[in-house]
Amino acid sequence: MWDLLTRRQVIHRAFGAFALGLGMHRGLAAGRQLPDRESTKFEEVNENHQVDRDMTVAPQPPIMGESMPDRWNVLPVRALLLFSPDPPDVDLFCRFVREVLPKEGVNVLVLLFRYRYKFRTHPELADRAAIGRDDVKKILEACRAAGVKLIPKMNLLAHQSEQTEIMPLLKHFPQFDESPDLNPPNPWHPNGQFGFYTKSLCPRHPDLFSMIFPLMDELIEACEADAFHVALDEVWIIAHDRCPRCGGMDPAEVFGQYATSLRNHLAEKKCRMWMWSDRLIDGKTTNLLSWQASTNNTHRAIDMIPKDIVICDWKYEDAPPTPGYFAVKGFDVLPSTCYKVD
Ligand SMILES: [Zn+2]
């Protein structure tokens, strides 16, 4: 794996997230493209793209602790993911952006809206904690003052329910439910990877894009964004056998076509698509199972989607070498951590 990575002149390192509070969900650290002949402390790449290093010494993992800030600051993307603030907390949130993010070296803020936004095209989708366009403009101003790029995020496939609560899009437009016959157990009984998790949209519903594209466009305009995070994580319900459009189809094909359509729309808006990695990893052969990888046969979609999508490879507990897998496939990849710094 190491040799393949260096041959492609790609290096990436996970440097861990940091607990900054305010509802942090997942931290994103950066992948890095190495130009020709650039060297690091870890290896040097010569004209023939061969590695010049002592092969008797195993590559060392990044050193954590006091040297961490130096190493973190060489990464081009040093991102933090947070939920959008509740309406009364917008000013406090802006102060946090201005005062804390520059000190921590953060240069990208991914803001997870879900339905916490007062959409003009669909006001009925705004949930209780929705903020408005003016609030987002305030956050954008704070980000600019802090030298931080703002990227909006919505969950555009799964996570359309939370335990037994159906989220606004499917509540108001149940026709987009991939599995109307399959509902969260009430009362909720978690049953691990064999239980119900979250509802999904039907990615092949003919009216879905005319519903979600305007929502995306509103967030792009409010954030003045040149990138958009579409999530696509933890999709357990896809190509559901009772969906009249998707039943019997290859889940990888359904997933790949949907991701490509989102990417194409974002490309028209001059936005680069970011997405989570888990549906593109085979959870059975890697033993990464059903959350941080796919056990429902979507993983072959990795060869069906455009390579300009940025893959955010999240892991909560450990650091398997999956960022290298995406890099070898030709993607830019951001190793993304949460609870642990190493
Ligand atoms: Zn469907």
Side-chain angles (χ1 to χ4, degrees):
M1 177 66 77
W2 184 257
D3 193 42
L4 280 173
L5 286 177
T6 50
R7 194 167 293 151
R8 287 186 54 84
Q9 306 163 56
V10 175
I11 187 171
H12 49 82
R13 303 257 188 267
F15 279 84
F18 35 91
L20 293 176
L22 286 183
M24 177 181 167
H25 182 50
R26 288 173 185 146
L28 303 172
R32 181 182 182 213
Q33 293 279 348
L34 279 183
D36 282 357
R37 308 183 69 155
E38 182 171 349
S39 64
T40 73
K41 290 178 185 173
F42 300 99
E43 74 273 297
E44 293 183 354
V45 182
N46 66 20
E47 285 178 346
N48 297 319
H49 303 162
Q50 298 299 308
V51 180
D52 294 329
R53 62 181 167 85
D54 182 353
M55 297 303 289
T56 63
V57 180
Q60 295 300 304
I63 300 164
M64 312 307 287
E66 288 184 3
S67 60
M68 177 85 174
D70 290 341
R71 291 168 184 268
W72 165 257
N73 284 334
V74 301
L75 295 169
V77 179
R78 305 180 297 279
L80 178 69
L81 168 59
L82 298 172
F83 273 110
S84 57
D86 289 350
D89 295 333
V90 169
D91 289 339
L92 179 64
F93 187 86
C94 289
R95 192 177 146 205
F96 168 81
V97 168
R98 281 194 176 90
E99 295 179 9
V100 178
L101 297 193
K103 278 187 204 159
E104 296 290 343
V106 172
N107 65 1
V108 176
L109 176 63
V110 181
L111 211 53
L112 173 53
F113 284 97
R114 291 189 175 171
Y115 300 99
R116 300 161 63 93
Y117 186 72
K118 293 176 182 169
F119 294 102
R120 292 176 178 182
T121 49
H122 285 284
E124 70 277 19
L125 296 183
D127 74 13
R128 287 183 299 275
I131 58 176
R133 183 176 178 277
D134 291 347
D135 296 319
V136 176
K137 291 296 181 191
K138 271 191 199 174
I139 295 170
L140 177 62
E141 198 181 313
C143 284
R144 285 184 171 155
V148 170
K149 178 161 125 171
L150 183 61
I151 296 180
K153 176 176 183 285
M154 275 192 87
N155 294 334
L156 289 173
L157 193 48
H159 290 294
Q160 301 301 324
S161 64
E162 190 77 52
Q163 299 207 358
T164 58
E165 185 188 351
I166 308 298
M167 300 192 79
L169 183 52
L170 288 188
K171 199 185 286 176
H172 291 279
F173 300 94
Q175 66 268 35
F176 296 127
D177 191 339
E178 175 67 6
S179 58
D181 57 311
L182 184 62
N183 286 297
N186 195 354
W188 171 253
H189 289 297
N191 192 21
Q193 61 183 316
F194 303 107
F196 181 91
Y197 189 39
T198 68
K199 278 196 170 278
S200 295
L201 304 174
C202 172
R204 293 174 54 79
H205 192 291
D207 300 329
L208 182 64
F209 292 128
S210 59
M211 163 63 67
I212 62 174
F213 284 170
L215 307 180
M216 297 165 73
D217 295 349
E218 283 196 53
L219 290 178
I220 290 167
E221 188 280 328
C223 296
E224 299 179 31
D226 65 5
F228 193 105
H229 197 315
V230 298
L232 307 188
D233 59 320
E234 301 178 333
V235 184
W236 284 24
I237 302 173
I238 188 168
H240 187 60
D241 53 8
R242 293 181 65 179
C243 173
R245 295 163 294 273
C246 307
M249 287 197 67
D250 175 0
E253 219 171 282
V254 172
F255 187 86
Q257 286 172 1
Y258 181 66
T260 301
S261 297
L262 294 179
R263 177 265 172 205
N264 290 346
H265 177 70
L266 288 168
E268 280 175 22
K269 296 284 167 184
K270 303 197 181 327
C271 268
R272 194 162 181 198
M273 181 162 125
W274 289 26
M275 64 178 279
W276 294 123
S277 63
D278 52 84
R279 288 312 92 188
L280 303 175
I281 301 167
D282 183 348
K284 294 170 189 165
T285 55
T286 59
N287 203 32
L288 291 171
L289 304 179
S290 299
W291 279 276
Q292 52 189 355
S294 166
T295 52
N296 56 357
N297 296 315
T298 56
H299 55 278
R300 283 175 292 99
I302 194 170
D303 294 318
M304 303 175 187
I305 61 174
K307 303 291 187 194
D308 60 5
I309 296 173
V310 176
I311 305 294
C312 302
D313 189 25
W314 70 272
K315 299 287 179 295
Y316 281 159
E317 302 295 338
D318 49 19
T322 47
Y325 175 56
F326 289 103
V328 167
K329 287 283 186 180
F331 292 96
D332 284 343
V333 53
L334 304 179
S336 310
T337 65
C338 186
Y339 304 126
K340 296 181 176 179
V341 295
D342 60 349

